[in-house]
């Protein structure tokens, strides 16, 4: 396995970088509990370098693996969450290690398709839901209004009612 990864690292094609990124991810995920924080950080840096030059077809499998691993380096997770919606979807829906400030950052910068996915999360605090109400379209508002797992601030409730009228 490791010799295959070294061969991929020597190649200079998008396909090789994608295969290398996925191979490194598999190595990491298979023993993530044994990895130190320094190893995880180094993996995150390497994976980000590879990620930015990897075709979407190789980024998709990565976005399916990451949500199950809460120790995945946050910069890589945030990059995945900001990608095209079909790649970002699994991370936005299921990554459990997002902190409130991470969700708020995403809510402030992502487009409406991404906001619709965020609005379905069960772990939104007031500041995130307020931002979603302020930035989102009626689709986001409907999803938030129907999300029974979160509590909305008075400001968000009033804004949703105002938008509904």
């Amino acid at each position: 396995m490791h010799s295959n990864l070294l061969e991929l690292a020597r190649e200079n094609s998008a396909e090789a970088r994608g295969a290398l990124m996925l191979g490194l991810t598999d190595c990491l995920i298979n023993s993530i509990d044994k990895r130190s924080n320094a190893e995880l950080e180094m993996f995150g840096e390497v994976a980000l370098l590879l990620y930015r030059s990897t075709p979407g077809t190789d980024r998709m499998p990565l976005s399916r693996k990451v949500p199950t691993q809460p120790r995945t380096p946050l910069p890589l997770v945030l990059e995945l969450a900001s990608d095209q919606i079909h790649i970002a979807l699994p991370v936005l829906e299921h990554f459990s290690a997002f902190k409130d400030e991470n969700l708020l950052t995403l809510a402030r910068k992502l487009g409406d398709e991404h906001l619709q996915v965020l609005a379905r999360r069960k772990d939104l605090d007031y500041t995130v839901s307020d931002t979603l109400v302020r930035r989102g379209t009626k689709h986001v508002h409907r999803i938030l209004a129907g999300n029974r797992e979160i509590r909305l601030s008075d400001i968000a409730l009033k804004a949703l009612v105002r938008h509904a009228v």
Side-chain angles (χ1 to χ4, degrees), residues 71 85 91 100 135:
R71 289 191 69 209
I85 190 63
V91 174
D100 292 338
R135 291 201 61 237

Side-chain angles (χ1 to χ4, degrees), residues 5 8 14-24 54 58:
L5 294 177
L8 289 170
E15 294 79 20
R17 286 188 297 273
L20 178 59
M21 181 183 64
L22 293 174
L24 287 171
T54 298
D58 290 330

